Amino acid sequence: MTPSLPFALNRIVAPCLPLAEFLDLARALKTGSIELRNDLTGNEIEDGTPPERVRELCRAKGVRVLSINALYPFDVWSNERRAQALKLAAYARACGAEGLVLCPLNDPADPRSRAERVRGLRTALTALAPILREHGLLGFVEPLGFESSALRRKHDAVEAIKGIGGLDVFRLVHDTFHHHLAGEQEFFPELTGIVHISGVEDRQVSLAEIRDGHRVLVGEADLLGNAEQIRRLLELGYRGPFSFEPFAESVHALAEIRPALQESMRHLQASVAIPEGCAA
């Protein structure tokens, strides 16, 4: 019998659920791990919920907090960004989160050259490293595959992390959606801390036009090759969580999200055909 994939739930799966109910969902699905977000109006963090309350609830439910998603745009460093990073890091530590997701600038109007973007990335990583170390957190760098993104490929993130001596405190987010959009072929299992999974099924939209709103739960009609990406990561030795991150309103509007998630889990479990010994 093949072991189960170690699934997790990003808060975007069910943004309308109160935190306690979201944690119950994670327990019911036997995921045991979640990612919180600081960009959802009316939810914990954004609504002022004390981090100690979040920690208390998660401990009571036996749920692990993988990350807070996200510091944006982390690669455009400034006094303002430093203040944001310190505030978010303090909240993460107090609520029991293990790290912060770090997302780069995604702006078609970004005037910087490639060289300037690389320098900005290294400046930000250099400044963030001691903040993360001080707070006992990991920084999960998430390249965004959009053409307008300042950091599209994991290869460039790895070069920058190595260049500033940050291998102890930085990890990658392998997002199956962004990996596909960027046309990236390289995998970095030894540096990957979290995998974000979502599917796209709309065949009427070109690759350049795909946006977060097209991201649904992974099913038979998936165009992103989620199963193949997951299988490859496992073959290369990745043992971390696979966190559902669907942004589509059609998912958020479901009257019952649990059966939809269960079906997606069953589909991926069967499609990946995990080799023995690959469970987390």
Side-chain angles (χ1 to χ4, degrees), residues 2 5 33 43 68 81-82 101 115 121 140 178 190 218 231 254 264 266:
T2 57
L5 284 167
S33 298
N43 284 25
I68 293 179
R81 197 73 61 243
R82 176 178 174 79
V101 173
L121 173 61
F140 298 110
H178 290 297
E190 72 285 356
V218 184
R231 187 182 303 114
L254 290 172
S264 187
R266 282 194 292 268

Side-chain angles (χ1 to χ4, degrees), residues 11-76:
R11 193 68 167 95
I12 200 67
V13 164
C16 295
L17 283 182
L19 178 60
E21 293 181 30
F22 181 71
L23 297 175
D24 286 338
L25 175 65
R27 283 175 54 87
L29 292 168
K30 297 181 171 61
T31 59
S33 298
I34 63 166
E35 293 182 272
L36 299 175
R37 302 188 70 92
N38 64 327
D39 59 353
L40 296 175
T41 302
N43 284 25
E44 63 285 345
I45 303 179
E46 178 68 22
D47 70 357
T49 301
E52 294 79 13
R53 176 56 180 160
V54 174
R55 187 187 194 106
E56 176 185 327
L57 280 171
C58 291
R59 279 187 172 178
K61 303 286 186 179
V63 175
R64 172 187 176 195
V65 182
L66 299 172
S67 76
I68 293 179
N69 189 341
L71 179 65
Y72 173 87
F74 87 92
D75 57 324
V76 182

Side-chain angles (χ1 to χ4, degrees), residues 217 249-257 260:
L217 295 173
E249 291 184 7
S250 60
V251 175
H252 303 164
L254 290 172
E256 291 289 339
I257 186 65

Side-chain angles (χ1 to χ4, degrees), residues 59-265:
R59 279 187 172 178
K61 303 286 186 179
V63 175
R64 172 187 176 195
V65 182
L66 299 172
S67 76
I68 293 179
N69 189 341
L71 179 65
Y72 173 87
F74 87 92
D75 57 324
V76 182
W77 198 252
S78 63
N79 289 335
E80 178 187 6
R81 197 73 61 243
R82 176 178 174 79
Q84 290 172 341
L86 286 168
K87 182 179 180 179
L88 200 55
Y91 194 102
R93 179 172 61 184
C95 81
E98 297 173 14
L100 298 178
V101 173
L102 310 172
C103 291
L105 181 65
N106 178 39
D107 184 357
D110 181 3
R112 297 175 300 166
S113 67
R114 173 172 171 74
E116 289 171 329
R117 292 177 179 184
V118 170
R119 284 197 297 273
L121 173 61
R122 295 197 174 206
T123 295
L125 292 174
T126 299
L128 277 166
I131 294 174
L132 294 166
R133 292 181 184 120
E134 179 184 349
H135 289 81
L137 302 171
L138 290 172
F140 298 110
V141 180
E142 181 171 14
L144 304 179
F146 302 119
E147 291 181 1
S148 54
S149 171
L151 176 63
R152 299 189 68 199
R153 294 179 174 85
K154 295 182 291 295
H155 173 85
D156 294 332
V158 170
E159 288 299 303
I161 290 169
K162 289 180 177 178
I164 64 99
L167 289 174
D168 64 313
V169 74
F170 292 108
R171 299 292 182 271
L172 298 174
V173 175
H174 177 112
D175 186 298
T176 57
F177 172 81
H178 290 297
H179 181 86
H180 182 83
L181 258 61
E184 190 162 23
Q185 301 301 315
E186 287 185 90
F187 291 77
F188 300 90
E190 72 285 356
L191 291 179
T192 299
I194 298 174
V195 176
H196 285 165
I197 54 177
S198 60
V200 171
E201 299 181 348
D202 190 341
R203 296 180 179 274
Q204 305 304 312
V205 182
S206 70
L207 191 65
E209 296 173 319
I210 293 176
R211 294 294 180 266
D212 281 333
H214 295 100
R215 299 170 66 173
V216 297
L217 295 173
V218 184
E220 294 287 347
D222 176 44
L223 302 174
L224 303 182
N226 270 271
E228 292 80 2
Q229 290 187 48
I230 292 171
R231 187 182 303 114
R232 184 61 177 150
L233 282 162
L234 292 170
E235 289 171 350
L236 291 172
Y238 176 71
R239 299 294 183 269
F242 294 90
S243 183
F244 283 95
E245 194 184 35
F247 284 81
E249 291 184 7
S250 60
V251 175
H252 303 164
L254 290 172
E256 291 289 339
I257 186 65
R258 179 178 169 182
L261 282 163
Q262 288 174 322
E263 178 55 35
S264 187
M265 289 175 177

